[in-house]
Amino acid sequence: MNHFRLTRRCIGVCLAFATLLASAAGQAADMIPVRVGLANASSDVGFFIADKKGYFKQEGLAVSYINFDSGAKMVAPLGAGQIEVGAGSVSVGLYNAVARGIEIKIVADKGSTPPGYGYQPLLVRKDLIDSGRYKSLKDLKGMKIAGSAPGSGSTSTLNEALKKAGLTSADVERVYLAFPQHVLALQNKAVDAALTTEPSATKAVQSGAAVRIMGDDVIYPNHQLAVVLYSGGFIKNNPDAAKRFMRAYLHAVRDYNDALKDGKLAGPNADEVISILTEYTNVKDPAVYRAISVQGCNPNGTVDAPSLRNDLAFFKGEGLVKGNVAVEQVIDNSFAAAAAKDLGPYKKKK
């Protein structure tokens, strides 16, 4: 009898365990896959926080990440429906795609440069400063300057820097590399200067290869440098998932804002955010993230349309944008607005 009761009890436990496994499998099957393109920058932090803290899972989303050299290279996969979300700088390719009728929308801020938040600074090789070759912005003339991709937001930042010195893009040689490669290029003297996003910028300075000349918040204040992009297919075919994704993302962005103080990761929950960054990126030294100049990111997801219009005018002036397209055709604020309403007013932790 005791043996029978024990066996029955074991069967009951096994059945309960099997039910739990089946339930878990059912839940996993119900999760909606969302593929996100990232540019290997510290401004991807909102996605990392949302993943680590389970915000995406809470919204029923199974998010996976695909790395790109720049936001410009995400446009074609977004247009083809190979990824649902892109995260990078606004590029010529985006406007040209929209002009051809391809549905891609800017839906939220990912990285901007309000005063004190210059996260893509101008770097110049230290030996050029030591030798006197570089003294001021006008000395950029004739230099090889690294950026992320042709027609990307960093080219507009460079244009603003050159304008301050009375120079044009024709006065410099532009070299396009992924941000982590900027560090090696500066160390190997393959380039003279760079507009490099964090944490690569701080790594270049800490290596002794470069000197930070000025932040892009000084070069180009309130520049909408990085954005969140949705593919047209994601918006049309799964608008509910698109809304849930934005809600999870802005939840994480607010956690990120709580970690900020004076342009650094020095706020109340900075240690948590730094821990997440070291887990999700190739930079494993927490001291690097404590040293970097961080990006601004609007806790309500609002993008800075005037700077986007300025960038588009520059791209058109360079003859890079083909066709008639306006910034208003590219922005869709509805997802961020709905998410901000659901989350309520943002109150920064003290």
Side-chain angles (χ1 to χ4, degrees):
M1 177 66 73
N2 290 340
H3 175 72
F4 175 74
R5 288 176 179 172
L6 182 61
T7 302
R8 187 167 60 183
R9 186 178 302 161
C10 289
I11 291 173
V13 171
C14 290
L15 286 172
F17 184 63
T19 301
L20 285 172
L21 287 177
S23 175
Q27 289 176 1
D30 291 339
M31 300 285 280
I32 298 171
V34 180
R35 297 161 295 184
V36 181
L38 300 182
N40 298 301
S42 60
S43 60
D44 294 328
V45 64
F47 302 102
F48 301 149
I49 293 172
D51 186 59
K52 179 65 176 180
K53 300 187 75 170
Y55 298 157
F56 288 135
K57 286 184 179 179
Q58 290 170 16
E59 296 288 353
L61 306 175
V63 171
S64 59
Y65 299 122
I66 302 169
N67 291 325
F68 292 82
D69 287 347
S70 72
K73 295 183 179 180
M74 299 177 200
V75 173
L78 279 164
Q82 295 168 344
I83 57 176
E84 285 72 41
V85 180
S89 68
V90 178
S91 67
V92 164
L94 170 64
Y95 291 113
N96 283 333
V98 172
R100 295 195 306 270
I102 297 173
E103 289 289 326
I104 303 173
K105 296 292 186 181
I106 296 170
V107 293
D109 180 12
K110 187 177 88 86
S112 47
T113 62
Y117 291 87
Y119 74 108
Q120 186 177 260
L122 173 65
L123 307 178
V124 173
R125 275 185 10 226
K126 187 175 184 301
D127 64 295
L128 297 177
I129 293 174
D130 292 342
S131 69
R133 167 66 178 84
Y134 179 89
K135 297 187 183 70
S136 66
L137 287 176
K138 67 180 181 179
D139 296 319
L140 292 174
K141 186 172 183 177
M143 287 190 174
K144 290 183 179 180
I145 304 178
S148 60
S152 66
S154 67
T155 62
S156 186
T157 304
L158 176 59
N159 179 59
E160 295 297 322
L162 294 173
K163 281 164 57 177
K164 291 179 183 296
L167 303 174
T168 70
S169 57
D171 291 313
V172 300
E173 180 180 346
R174 291 177 285 187
V175 179
Y176 300 109
L177 303 165
F179 291 122
Q181 293 174 350
H182 289 196
V183 182
L184 290 174
L186 289 163
Q187 291 172 335
N188 298 334
K189 301 183 180 180
V191 299
D192 304 308
L195 279 164
T196 305
T197 196
E198 295 285 15
S200 297
T202 291
K203 290 190 71 178
V205 172
Q206 290 180 339
S207 75
V211 173
R212 181 186 174 103
I213 301 302
M214 64 178 66
D216 50 339
D217 60 320
V218 177
I219 298 170
Y220 193 165
N222 298 309
H223 187 195
Q224 188 62 63
L225 186 57
V227 296
V228 180
L229 301 166
Y230 276 2
S231 72
F234 191 41
I235 293 172
K236 290 180 180 179
N237 301 331
N238 212 333
D240 184 57
K243 291 175 183 176
R244 285 187 268 157
F245 184 95
M246 185 60 66
R247 192 160 51 229
Y249 171 71
L250 284 190
H251 192 173
V253 165
R254 293 178 175 205
D255 288 351
Y256 166 74
N257 272 269
D258 288 341
L260 302 182
K261 182 181 179 183
D262 301 327
K264 300 287 185 182
L265 286 171
N269 62 327
D271 288 344
E272 177 188 43
V273 172
I274 290 170
S275 176
I276 292 171
L277 281 165
T278 56
E279 178 180 346
Y280 280 77
T281 70
N282 293 327
V283 178
K284 303 303 180 184
D285 184 358
V288 172
Y289 284 112
R290 292 191 178 94
I292 68 172
S293 296
V294 296
Q295 77 278 3
C297 194
N298 192 299
N300 293 320
T302 308
V303 297
D304 190 280
S307 84
L308 293 175
R309 285 191 281 270
N310 182 65
D311 289 352
L312 179 56
F314 166 68
F315 296 149
K316 287 182 175 179
E318 293 274 288
L320 298 173
V321 173
K322 313 297 181 184
N324 187 22
V325 62
V327 166
E328 287 69 25
Q329 292 173 250
V330 185
I331 297 177
D332 183 344
N333 289 313
S334 65
F335 294 98
K341 183 178 180 181
D342 288 345
L343 293 170
Y346 170 64
K347 296 180 180 179
K348 188 177 178 67
K349 287 183 180 178
K350 297 182 180 180

